[in-house]
Amino acid sequence: MHRERKDAPLLQVRGLRKAFGGVVAIQNVDLDVAAGSVHAIIGPNGAGKTTAFNCITAFVKPTGGRIMLAGERIDGLPAHVVARHGIARTYQNVRLFPNMTGIENVLVGQHRRLRATFWEAILGTGRFRREEKEARERALHYLDFVGIPHRAQHLARNMPYGDQRRLEIARALVGDPRMLMLDEPAAGMNPTEGRLLVELIERVRGELGVTVVLIEHHMRVVMAVAERITVFDRGAILTEGTPGEIQADERVIAAYLGRRSGQTGPAPEPIHAVPAAIPTLEARLA
Amino acid sequence: MKTKLLYAASLAALLMAAPGARAETVGPVTDALGVVKIGKGQPVVIGGYSSQSGGDTNQGIDELRGSEIAIRDFGGAVLGHPVKLAGEDAQCTAEGGQTAATKLAGNKQVVVVLGPSCSSGARAGAPILWRAGISSVAIGATAPALTAPDRPDGFKGFLRVVPNDLKSAAFTVKYAVEKLGVKNVATIHDGSPYTEQLVRAFEKDFTAKGGTIVASEAISPTDTDLRPVLTRIAAKKPEIIFTPVFTSSVGFLLRQKDEVSGLADTKVIGGEGVFSANVIEAAGPKVVGFRIVAPSTDLFSDKFPAFVKAFTEEYGEAPIGGFSAYGHDAATLALTAIKAVGKSDDEGNLYIGRQALHEALMATKDLPGLTGALTCDANGDCGAATYAIWEFNSDDQSSFAPGTNPKRIFP
Amino acid sequence: MSETARSATEPGVFAEWLRRSTWVDFILLAIRIGVAALVLVGLAGGLAAGTYSAADFVSFTMFGLTIGSIYALIALGYTMVYGILRMINFAHGDVMMVGSFAGLFAAGGLNDAGVLGAFPLLALPLVLAAGMAAGALVSIAIERIAYRPFLHVRSLAPLICAIGMSFILQYAARGLFGTRNRAYPGFGWMEGTVSFAGLTIPIPQVVAFVAALIVLAGLLAVVRLTRLGKAMRAVAEDRDAAALVGIDVTAVIVATFAIGGAMAGVAGVLYALVFKQITVFMGFFLGVKGFAAAILGGIGNLGGALLGGLVLGLAEALGPALILEGYHLPAPYQLKDVIGYGMLVMILIFRPQGLLGERLAAKRA
Amino acid sequence: MSFNTVTSSFKVTRRRRSPLMEAVRLGLIAGAALVAFALIGAYSAMDKRAVIEGTVTLSQLASLLIVFAAGHVAARDARSGTSAALLNAVVAGLVAGACLSVLVWLIMAVNLRTTLVAASPALAKALSLGARIASLEALAQLPLIGAASALVGALVGRLPAGAGKAALTGLAAVITAGLFRDVFASMLERLPDLTGPDHEVFGSAGLNPGAAVALFFLAAAFALVRDRLALKRGGVPRSGLSRPGLVLLIAGVVLLPLVTNDFVAQVAMLVALYMLMGMGLNIELGLAGLVDLGFVAFFAVGAYTVALLCSSGPLAIADVSFWVALPVAIVLAAVAGMIFGLPVLRVRGDYLAMATLGLGEIIRVLVLSDALSPYLGGSQGIIEIDHPRLFGWELKSPVALYYLALVLAGVVAFVSLRLQNAKIGRAWLAMREDEDVAQALGIDPVASKLLAYTIGAAFAGAAGAVFAALIGSVYPHSFQLLVSINVLAILVIGGLGSLPGVLVGAIVLIGLPELLREFGEFRYLFYGIALVAMMHVRAEGLWPAAYAKEGVHAS
């Protein structure tokens, strides 16, 4: 029912502002994410990237501005309604249901797809059973899609970190979102895992046709997958452009460097990563 | 197959569980409801159920302690067998009464049961006991319906030593109308079945005699500040306040009454639940002038102080309310009846017929008890039912002694 | 460009509210309106009935402030502990009962020793000290048994343990001290009354009210000015971070419990002085009321605890006269708990941060 | 002073002390426990109940066990050799016994009773064990008995594992048989009399001494044989409950009321009722994570609905069959759940606990009030409720009503299981684990909580309906806050989110205390101690939900 034109923006953010008490976390954020694209958000720690994510997914209430998904306003709606509009997300520090198994986690992700009513569940009707069976198959399919088919019966909290990240993506994808928002999906991953992640994101966009927005510090990953990049700095948008434009932008490098000198614990990767990412990008384009 | 077996088994169980005592002959005794045989040297088991936990704990513990003192006063034995009181907890709820009664009814050695404290428990419990052929002598269950002439068959085995609410209410009305000549009365109950019922009975009687109930208020037993409700009452200008609530509430009421303007001259009349030394402690100096409706014990006034003394020695504290005396009387009534119908054989075994015991209990006449002379009527009301108005005249707890403090002022 | 687009499509306030709201919001609004209507109709009816004189209402207010001071004292202890641990100490009311009994025995001892007669002014501090010491001890024991072992696990264990401790305290006290009502001694000078604005107020009630203020001031001083207070605030804010910067979290929590227990002891003794008699079962529901007062005022906020206590007391004293009277209900004071708890529920639903508190409920969630 | 004794017994700090000091400390702890036991009046009360007829009373047994445990612990210290360990135990026992001696002496020498009501001459007499009160002999025998008991405790600990366990099993069997005399005696009454009239197993209060000795050896032998068999099969002797355990438990639950008496059936009936409520709260708390302390309100709604619909009394609004009233009660309780749930469910955690507590109290006060008494009977309740009829049979006996409750409990368990494994059950679990994330996955938190609350309320309503039919009358006094606390405790003790846990919890918290109903005045004291102890020993519950177990093993 929602057919997106490839060129029209799927997500439109205008004048977004969020203040915690007197502290302004973000202001004047305008953001357009094209349907079917992979859009990265980068910026130093504390630049307001996750706050913007949280505003879009209704985790926090924006102080001002508006957010539209496919032309419909979604700001101010409760999180589950936003989710029902087709936004799914993952979290900076993985938030799975730790005491549920892999498949259970993915089944929860299908919550709004399942139609069987409460009474059908109690009576165990044919439709309910068919639907449950189909849901399980679908869950297994998505576990397979993200590359952890063997984790179906493991408790989420007992899985290795990388698998937890993948499980989180499977849980988000299984609900057929229009837009998937990944908050630092490559955090804590080694280069091999990073490459696999790039591949996964490509497939998400390519095979499933889901628009992807990601926050990422690993420039290798960002430059490999993003079509457009928005750079945040100190709560506002510094600039936006294609990976090539961003890499050439003096202000971006300055922002990273400037932060580096003033801050105690920023992401170590970016400074070296920005130049190092170029071959990867070229390889991809070629 | 398995399920069928189970079904058959449960049917069998249903049949077995079906009530109905049959005539039985054991030793020298034949009885329509069954016979309890007590071996040589074995104790005579008397059941008891009262509120041992929950909100009415004080009263329930008091009652069974009263019964224990009675057994001691009886020499601790009847017909050469020691007496054992098997006290259970009835919690002052219907389900508590039912469970305790079921437990007692399951014990074939239980001869008679004392209790319970509350009418709700009696309503659920007494029929269960009677189905097992066991008579019960209630201590604190005062609901009139329990001994009404049209009560269901299940309550035939139910007797009580505490007079029912109607009697005490009627006496209080008589005092208010004939002696005090008051027209406007306020009442307070605390939401317990006992106080509510008593207050309603009083209101009905009093209105019938031409009086006016100017305020009919209720509090909760956990309330500590009664001044708002007293202010409300004061606005209606009653001449007296009738409130059969328990010790804590009476304490707060009397202490706070004088802080409310307009009630200084209003007398408070309490119920027999506070016929104890503890109300003196609870109300402090304000107890002076407080009147209560309680059994007239003048015939046996030497007994009561002795009872309080024995009680205090045994349990470290004096009775908290007035109901321990009924506990004593219930036990005395039961033991006297057992003594009358028990038959021993040559080997020293004791046999007690249940029907015979019930008849002996019902036939009680002029038995001297702590609360007066006990006489059972055809419906199981055995209470002495001679009431008096007592007035406290000293705030010294150690002075508690019916006759001196509180002093009988009517009739 | 975006500026003009925004202003052109800016919907009205109502339309905006409608867009943002879900069915839950509609129902909550309906409840708000319903409750407000109930209260207003009752209020109008109550005032129109004219049962009470203005003097009566002044009296009601005074009664409310008295019981409110007691609630406030309990709430102060509650709020200290809750502010730090974010756990309900279900046994707090029973700690108060223990403090009350300790005060009673101390008073008995002092009386036997002749201290009461010789130095009547010394009696109150000594009795209070006994109550505080006992309260603090029991409270520390509760911390040790019910809270410390479960500090780092998210479970119901502390709640269950605290309920268990509440039973243990009540019934152990019943076994040890007996069931009877105990009269609390007055200390000569406390037996009198003072006249104020045409009212005759018994001195203990004034003492209770003043004590609530003093205790509040003392606690505020501790929390704001001392090292311990600083550590407490740090632990309340973030336990792990506090530990990282070298604060002995366990010691701080123990100290908090001790202070909370001591406050309960004060509440117990003052309660007994005002209401003159105590029993072993008196603590539980007073504790619940105290907690309600703490929530009402905004949990974790000391001033809020005082305010909440007074408001709750006033609501219970005035509510039946003002609101229920309007519905001509029989025995309206039997329903005063409906007003008290009703207020608690309404506050929790519509203003979980309480009258003065910050939005802790949401923050914690 | 009294408070110090209570608290000091809990102050178990792990500091290195010399073994002897450690033994003295243990002795003092045990002594404090003994003194507290005596001073709360429990000793005197339990002294009236014999465990072994004419030999050991319940209070003596409890005291012996306390010292036994102290001796056991004192001798456990790995640093010392056997003789030193035994010496430690003896010291601990001596000290513990001496504490009691001091108490006896104090009771007679000083009047403690103005403060401590139980410190009576009667207590001193009971503690003098037949000797002249507080005589030298009486005072001296207590430490000696203590030392002996502690020594036995130490010896049992030092026995080879199998033998020690067998001894403990034997002891446990004797104690169980003695404590639950009424249950076992009623079972024996139904069996043909094998032992003859002169060899009764049970006396009027407890086991007969001969039977106790026989039982001890039988149980010990059984334990030995079982362990041998288990070892032979190569398995480690298992403790705790397993799948066969569950089958046995269920079989016991179904059959026990058949082979015993009405009292056991009555207790089983109460257990089944609490199971019903427990499963309701399990949906709310175990699955959806909603702490509800006002649960009893829905129980009351169910009970009052049946009362109003099935009573032949004056307040009845209809006189229909129980089978018509039951669904109405369930639906009304569910509706009540929905009405209350809506506003309060936006509140979380402890706040929710308090909000629901408030709601429960509001309902109780309203039901009790004079304002509503023309409709609900006020404190006089509603009486003369008809018993259910089934094919012309009146379900009246506790056994019949027990099976009614059990069938309902079965249905409810079935529904719970089905829901747990459906979309809504997963949504509840997800909400409990992480509400924000669940919401971001499209789960409407209020709607799914509300559903949990409504279903929980419906189950409680069913329990209330059976309750009304069972008792035949309803009074507001039956719907106290305590009921809610009881149900909550059942869940936590049994294991949150676990259906078998509900069963186990109900048996432990409702069934066992009922069998000791005669000690009602100490019921809540022991209840409180049990709750605290349970949380310390096994906080995840007796029968944790399967996934929790899996987690424990895996991590």
Side-chain angles (χ1 to χ4, degrees):
Chain A
M1 61 188 165
H2 302 281
R3 186 167 302 136
E4 277 103 46
R5 290 210 316 274
K6 180 79 181 162
D7 52 335
L10 173 64
L11 178 76
Q12 274 182 301
V13 177
R14 289 292 173 273
L16 189 65
R17 175 188 158 84
K18 174 68 194 175
F20 294 102
V23 186
V24 178
I26 50 173
Q27 57 184 342
N28 271 333
V29 169
D30 290 354
L31 183 68
D32 281 322
V33 175
S37 68
V38 175
H39 194 120
I41 295 175
I42 63 170
N45 279 356
K49 304 181 299 290
T50 297
T51 303
F53 252 45
N54 284 345
C55 284
I56 294 168
T57 52
F59 256 56
V60 297
K61 244 197 185 120
T63 320
R66 54 177 60 192
I67 304 165
M68 281 188 279
L69 189 75
E72 257 184 280
R73 278 192 70 173
I74 56 166
D75 59 279
L77 300 180
H80 63 277
V81 180
V82 170
R84 285 170 192 180
H85 274 84
I87 296 182
R89 71 171 291 185
T90 67
Y91 302 85
Q92 198 172 341
N93 32 14
V94 185
R95 285 173 79 171
L96 290 162
F97 305 120
N99 289 313
M100 295 168 79
T101 59
I103 192 166
E104 278 174 340
N105 266 282
V106 183
L107 281 168
V108 174
Q110 297 189 52
H111 182 80
R112 61 197 188 82
R113 289 190 70 256
L114 302 181
R115 292 280 159 267
T117 62
F118 164 75
W119 294 109
E120 284 173 313
I122 291 177
L123 299 172
T125 59
R127 178 168 117 155
F128 168 74
R129 277 188 226 173
R130 269 196 308 281
E131 194 179 77
E132 277 292 303
K133 186 159 170 274
E134 193 232 358
R136 278 177 187 277
E137 281 162 7
R138 191 179 158 84
L140 290 174
H141 171 76
Y142 274 87
L143 285 174
D144 193 42
F145 184 84
V146 299
I148 49 167
H150 54 292
R151 295 290 183 199
Q153 301 306 330
H154 292 212
L155 283 186
R157 67 162 184 233
N158 297 329
M159 292 180 194
Y161 183 71
D163 287 357
Q164 291 194 357
R165 284 232 172 262
R166 285 160 182 281
L167 179 57
E168 209 183 16
I169 294 174
R171 185 181 68 183
L173 283 176
V174 76
D176 276 342
R178 288 191 219 170
M179 186 167 89
L180 174 65
M181 304 182 72
L182 304 169
D183 197 346
E184 298 197 27
M189 285 188 173
N190 60 32
T192 322
E193 288 174 326
R195 251 195 305 286
L196 286 169
L197 180 72
V198 169
E199 213 173 88
L200 179 60
I201 293 173
E202 298 269 73
R203 282 169 54 220
V204 167
R205 198 259 304 266
E207 289 176 26
L208 305 177
V210 175
T211 310
V212 177
V213 183
L214 72 157
I215 296 173
E216 192 46 77
H217 282 305
H218 282 251
M219 285 306 143
R220 234 186 275 273
V221 173
V222 172
M223 296 303 159
V225 298
E227 287 156 40
R228 283 196 83 75
I229 298 174
T230 302
V231 186
F232 272 60
D233 188 34
R234 294 162 213 229
I237 288 177
L238 188 65
T239 184
E240 198 196 301
T242 62
E245 289 163 13
I246 296 299
Q247 278 172 25
D249 197 319
E250 292 289 321
R251 288 177 300 170
V252 177
I253 297 167
Y256 275 97
L257 285 172
R259 273 306 157 92
R260 176 124 178 93
S261 59
Q263 229 173 271
T264 44
E269 170 100 1
I271 301 163
H272 315 284
V274 174
I278 296 170
T280 327
L281 179 66
E282 281 168 350
R284 196 172 73 89
L285 292 174
Chain B
M1 180 65 212
K2 245 186 200 162
T3 48
K4 257 187 195 164
L5 253 169
L6 198 70
Y7 184 56
S10 42
L11 269 184
L14 286 177
L15 288 174
M16 275 196 281
R22 317 150 284 280
E24 192 179 31
T25 305
V26 183
V29 177
T30 303
D31 193 277
L33 291 178
V35 180
V36 184
K37 177 190 170 188
I38 297 141
K40 185 174 161 43
Q42 293 291 312
V44 172
V45 181
I46 294 181
Y49 66 142
S50 71
S51 316
Q52 306 279 306
S53 65
D56 302 83
T57 307
N58 298 1
Q59 192 197 335
I61 291 178
D62 242 25
E63 288 169 5
L64 283 197
R65 284 176 171 179
S67 299
E68 279 175 3
I69 299 290
I71 293 170
R72 232 180 54 174
D73 289 351
F74 215 83
V78 62
L79 299 171
H81 291 254
V83 177
K84 199 185 139 203
L85 180 65
E88 298 288 347
D89 181 11
Q91 291 164 306
C92 201
T93 59
E95 68 274 20
Q98 188 176 58
T99 310
T102 316
K103 182 167 184 187
L104 291 168
N107 187 344
K108 302 278 178 286
Q109 288 299 308
V110 170
V111 177
V112 61
V113 168
L114 311 177
S117 325
C118 297
S119 300
S120 53
R123 202 179 287 283
I128 291 170
L129 292 169
W130 185 236
R131 230 179 292 155
I134 301 172
S135 306
S136 52
V137 186
I139 300 170
T142 54
L146 293 169
T147 53
D150 60 344
R151 59 188 177 156
D153 279 353
F155 293 95
K156 273 181 118 172
F158 175 86
L159 300 86
R160 62 177 157 206
V161 291
V162 58
N164 76 40
D165 290 338
L166 297 178
K167 293 186 182 172
S168 126
F171 176 81
T172 316
V173 169
K174 187 174 154 206
Y175 172 67
V177 174
E178 291 177 11
K179 181 77 201 297
L180 299 178
V182 293
K183 285 269 173 266
N184 299 318
V185 174
T187 61
I188 306 174
H189 70 82
D190 68 359
S192 66
Y194 163 73
T195 59
E196 201 224 38
Q197 182 135 304
L198 189 49
V199 158
R200 295 287 171 260
F202 172 85
E203 288 174 354
K204 205 174 147 203
D205 255 24
F206 188 66
T207 320
K209 288 256 169 76
T212 312
I213 302 294
V214 293
S216 173
E217 291 294 331
I219 55 171
S220 146
T222 52
D223 286 354
T224 54
D225 193 350
L226 304 180
R227 292 173 299 177
V229 75
L230 288 170
T231 305
R232 184 178 155 83
I233 289 175
K236 306 285 172 57
K237 303 194 172 44
E239 291 158 89
I240 56 169
I241 298 173
F242 173 61
T243 178
V245 293
F246 292 96
T247 310
S248 286
S249 301
V250 167
F252 291 129
L253 186 96
L254 292 177
R255 284 178 187 267
Q256 293 164 8
K257 185 177 72 100
D258 291 354
E259 291 177 33
V260 174
S261 58
L263 284 181
D265 299 326
T266 310
K267 285 271 176 222
V268 178
I269 298 180
E272 54 191 306
V274 293
F275 193 42
S276 73
N278 194 214
V279 76
I280 302 177
E281 180 165 14
K286 305 287 184 192
V287 81
V288 176
F290 173 54
R291 294 171 189 177
I292 57 172
V293 185
S296 166
T297 66
D298 57 343
L299 283 175
F300 312 98
S301 52
D302 56 324
K303 273 185 155 182
F304 201 84
F307 165 69
V308 173
K309 188 161 171 282
F311 191 108
T312 313
E313 267 167 26
E314 180 76 23
Y315 301 109
E317 49 186 353
I320 287 152
F323 285 92
S324 53
Y326 291 119
H328 190 282
D329 282 0
T332 309
L333 185 77
L335 289 170
T336 310
I338 292 171
K339 195 172 169 187
V341 301
K343 291 203 168 59
S344 301
D345 63 12
D346 300 341
E347 293 162 24
N349 299 320
L350 178 64
Y351 301 88
I352 300 166
R354 293 193 182 282
Q355 175 72 37
L357 180 64
H358 181 243
E359 281 159 13
L361 287 167
M362 295 296 276
T364 303
K365 201 164 186 314
D366 291 332
L367 175 69
L370 277 184
T371 61
L374 305 173
T375 301
C376 295
D377 69 10
N379 300 319
D381 261 332
C382 308
T386 50
Y387 275 97
I389 300 291
W390 301 82
E391 185 176 78
F392 287 90
N393 49 30
S394 159
D395 64 347
D396 178 8
Q397 307 169 42
S398 59
S399 72
F400 178 80
T404 53
N405 182 35
K407 206 172 170 58
R408 210 182 75 156
I409 58 167
F410 177 83
Chain C
M1 174 209 101
S2 60
E3 284 301 318
T4 51
R6 198 173 302 152
S7 58
T9 56
E10 200 65 71
V13 179
F14 179 69
E16 177 66 9
W17 179 80
L18 216 57
R19 182 183 72 81
R20 286 164 176 260
S21 301
T22 57
W23 58 283
V24 180
D25 298 292
F26 297 136
I27 292 175
L28 286 180
L29 182 71
I31 293 177
R32 260 179 218 246
I33 294 172
V35 170
L38 269 177
V39 170
L40 287 177
V41 169
L43 208 57
L47 291 175
T51 316
Y52 304 102
S53 64
D56 285 339
F57 280 112
V58 175
S59 305
F60 283 141
T61 309
M62 194 194 76
F63 303 152
L65 289 178
T66 309
I67 188 87
S69 319
I70 302 291
Y71 290 158
L73 281 166
I74 304 172
L76 281 170
Y78 242 124
T79 227
M80 288 287 290
V81 172
Y82 195 96
I84 297 232
L85 280 186
R86 304 278 186 268
M87 292 175 188
I88 301 180
N89 180 2
F90 237 90
H92 190 81
D94 302 300
V95 175
M96 178 205 136
M97 176 273 292
V98 171
S100 203
F101 269 85
L104 175 74
F105 297 139
L110 290 172
N111 198 19
D112 291 349
V115 179
L116 275 193
F119 314 99
L121 281 179
L122 207 60
L124 180 62
L126 286 178
V127 169
L128 272 176
M132 288 169 75
L137 272 178
V138 174
S139 196
I140 290 172
I142 290 174
E143 191 274 337
R144 182 74 186 76
I145 295 163
Y147 290 91
R148 195 181 306 169
F150 310 107
L151 215 50
H152 301 289
V153 286
R154 195 191 75 158
S155 79
L156 286 174
L159 181 72
I160 297 290
C161 271
I163 290 175
M165 286 305 293
S166 171
F167 282 136
I168 292 174
L169 288 176
Q170 283 179 47
Y171 286 86
R174 194 203 70 74
L176 290 171
F177 311 137
T179 16
R180 76 171 205 267
N181 297 61
R182 303 286 191 129
Y184 228 68
F187 309 127
W189 61 276
M190 285 191 82
E191 307 276 1
T193 57
V194 291
S195 285
F196 174 76
L199 282 172
T200 312
I201 307 170
I203 289 174
Q205 297 176 18
V206 181
V207 170
F209 187 75
V210 173
L213 292 177
I214 294 174
V215 165
L216 172 66
L219 287 179
L220 280 177
V222 168
V223 172
R224 297 258 166 91
L225 304 177
T226 63
R227 260 179 79 84
L228 175 65
K230 209 180 210 174
M232 282 173 163
R233 280 181 287 150
V235 173
E237 203 60 47
D238 188 332
R239 211 183 294 150
D240 297 330
L244 276 180
V245 297
I247 294 172
D248 184 346
V249 174
T250 311
V252 170
I253 291 176
V254 169
T256 311
F257 265 89
I259 294 175
M263 292 309 109
V266 173
V269 171
L270 288 173
Y271 166 87
L273 288 172
V274 171
F275 292 105
K276 304 286 193 334
Q277 55 162 338
I278 57 175
T279 71
V280 293
F281 295 122
M282 71 187 192
F284 186 82
F285 277 101
L286 280 172
V288 172
K289 290 280 173 63
F291 187 75
I295 291 180
L296 210 57
I299 198 128
N301 183 317
L302 291 168
L306 181 74
L307 182 67
L310 296 179
V311 169
L312 185 64
L314 286 173
E316 285 189 355
L318 283 164
L322 275 177
I323 297 166
L324 298 180
E325 195 72 35
Y327 291 99
H328 304 292
L329 293 176
Y333 276 95
Q334 199 180 19
L335 298 174
K336 80 174 174 29
D337 280 356
V338 173
I339 292 187
Y341 289 121
M343 236 168 92
L344 168 70
V345 173
M346 290 299 142
I347 285 282
L348 284 175
I349 297 167
F350 295 117
R351 199 181 156 80
Q353 70 270 44
L355 298 174
L356 293 187
E358 5 147 22
R359 209 179 164 83
L360 267 176
K363 210 159 111 194
R364 290 291 306 170
Chain D
M1 171 246 150
S2 49
F3 294 115
N4 294 338
T5 52
V6 175
T7 51
S8 66
S9 63
F10 289 110
K11 278 189 184 152
V12 191
T13 40
R14 301 255 171 274
R15 244 176 265 139
R16 281 276 164 188
R17 288 190 185 81
S18 80
L20 200 65
M21 282 307 294
E22 185 66 22
V24 170
R25 201 177 63 89
L26 275 170
L28 283 174
I29 291 173
L34 288 174
V35 169
F37 182 61
L39 284 181
I40 57 170
Y43 191 97
S44 309
M46 297 190 170
D47 213 31
K48 290 170 189 153
R49 165 82 172 263
V51 176
I52 298 171
E53 197 82 9
T55 315
V56 182
T57 66
L58 186 53
S59 50
Q60 289 164 351
L61 178 75
S63 312
L64 286 175
L65 281 179
I66 290 173
V67 187
F68 178 94
H72 191 83
V73 175
R76 212 171 46 186
D77 194 332
R79 285 174 294 168
S80 41
T82 304
S83 57
L86 295 184
L87 182 69
N88 283 347
V90 169
V91 169
L94 277 174
V95 172
C99 288
L100 268 190
S101 295
V102 171
L103 175 68
V104 173
W105 178 78
L106 272 177
I107 288 172
M108 297 315 290
V110 193
N111 183 15
L112 300 174
R113 298 191 77 179
T114 48
T115 312
L116 303 166
V117 293
S120 65
L123 175 65
K125 185 175 173 216
L127 285 172
S128 298
L129 305 173
R132 200 166 58 77
I133 302 178
S135 63
L136 202 60
E137 182 199 348
L139 295 182
Q141 67 184 347
L142 289 173
L144 293 180
I145 295 172
S149 175
L151 189 61
V152 175
L155 282 173
V156 168
R158 289 269 156 175
L159 282 176
K165 203 173 154 195
L168 287 178
T169 310
L171 200 59
V174 172
I175 294 171
T176 313
L179 276 184
F180 300 131
R181 174 206 172 270
D182 292 351
V183 180
F184 296 113
S186 69
M187 286 169 78
L188 289 179
E189 268 170 28
R190 302 225 159 171
L191 297 176
D193 200 350
L194 299 173
T195 47
D198 295 334
H199 300 280
E200 291 279 352
V201 177
F202 288 104
S204 68
L207 275 173
N208 279 326
V213 174
L215 184 63
F216 176 83
F217 283 109
L218 265 176
F222 171 75
L224 274 179
V225 170
R226 194 186 55 175
D227 270 11
R228 285 283 147 73
L229 285 178
L231 283 175
K232 215 175 254 174
R233 265 192 251 118
V236 190
R238 288 181 62 159
S239 59
L241 292 158
S242 53
R243 189 167 282 273
L246 179 61
V247 173
L248 265 179
L249 190 67
I250 290 178
V253 163
V254 172
L255 293 176
L256 190 65
L258 284 180
V259 294
T260 57
N261 60 6
D262 272 1
F263 172 62
V264 176
Q266 168 84 11
V267 171
M269 158 86 220
L270 290 176
V271 170
L273 273 184
Y274 271 93
M275 262 169 68
L276 262 176
M277 281 197 276
M279 285 189 285
L281 190 62
N282 188 44
I283 300 253
E284 289 182 17
L285 175 64
L287 300 185
L290 308 169
V291 185
D292 187 354
L293 285 179
F295 198 62
V296 68
F298 310 123
F299 183 62
V301 169
Y304 268 90
T305 307
V306 166
L308 287 171
L309 291 180
C310 300
S311 164
S312 38
L315 292 170
I317 52 175
D319 195 356
V320 299
S321 140
F322 174 77
W323 306 109
V324 177
L326 177 66
V328 177
I330 294 175
V331 169
L332 281 184
V335 169
M338 201 180 281
I339 292 172
F340 290 155
L342 249 173
V344 296
L345 289 182
R346 299 217 312 185
V347 186
R348 295 181 188 184
D350 284 357
Y351 278 41
L352 181 63
M354 290 315 283
T356 49
L357 186 154
L359 278 179
E361 281 296 295
I362 288 176
I363 293 295
R364 190 184 63 79
V365 171
L366 283 177
V367 167
L368 181 64
S369 72
D370 284 5
L372 291 178
S373 69
Y375 315 103
L376 299 176
S379 62
Q380 303 302 320
I382 299 175
I383 54 170
E384 293 172 39
I385 302 166
D386 302 335
H387 290 289
R389 296 183 150 273
L390 191 62
F391 309 122
W393 286 53
E394 195 177 8
L395 303 183
K396 202 172 173 185
S397 72
V399 177
L401 284 161
Y402 164 67
Y403 282 107
L404 171 64
L406 198 63
V407 167
L408 268 179
V411 171
V412 163
F414 177 77
V415 170
S416 297
L417 267 179
R418 272 281 166 82
L419 289 178
Q420 255 182 54
N421 295 317
K423 152 183 155 171
I424 185 64
R426 291 189 293 263
W428 288 332
L429 277 181
M431 297 272 302
R432 195 187 68 176
E433 298 272 298
D434 191 330
E435 186 167 335
D436 293 330
V437 173
Q439 195 177 359
L441 289 170
I443 296 170
D444 182 345
V446 176
S448 61
K449 279 183 188 177
L450 190 58
L451 191 57
Y453 207 66
T454 306
I455 296 172
F459 290 176
V466 179
F467 175 82
L470 166 80
I471 309 291
S473 50
V474 293
Y475 298 92
H477 279 75
S478 302
F479 308 105
Q480 308 269 2
L481 173 65
L482 262 175
V483 177
S484 299
I485 291 180
N486 263 331
V487 180
L488 178 72
I490 284 176
L491 280 197
V492 175
I493 294 274
L496 275 181
S498 147
L499 284 180
V502 176
L503 172 63
V504 176
I507 290 175
V508 169
L509 283 189
I510 304 301
L512 297 188
E514 282 299 342
L515 295 172
L516 296 174
R517 183 169 268 273
E518 59 203 274
F519 304 115
E521 41 174 324
F522 301 103
R523 167 193 297 232
Y524 290 109
L525 178 62
F526 292 139
Y527 189 84
I529 293 174
L531 288 186
V532 172
M534 184 68 204
M535 286 301 99
H536 281 261
V537 177
R538 216 178 146 113
E540 77 277 15
L542 288 172
W543 198 315
Y547 65 82
K549 239 183 198 172
E550 190 184 334
V552 168
H553 293 312
S555 56

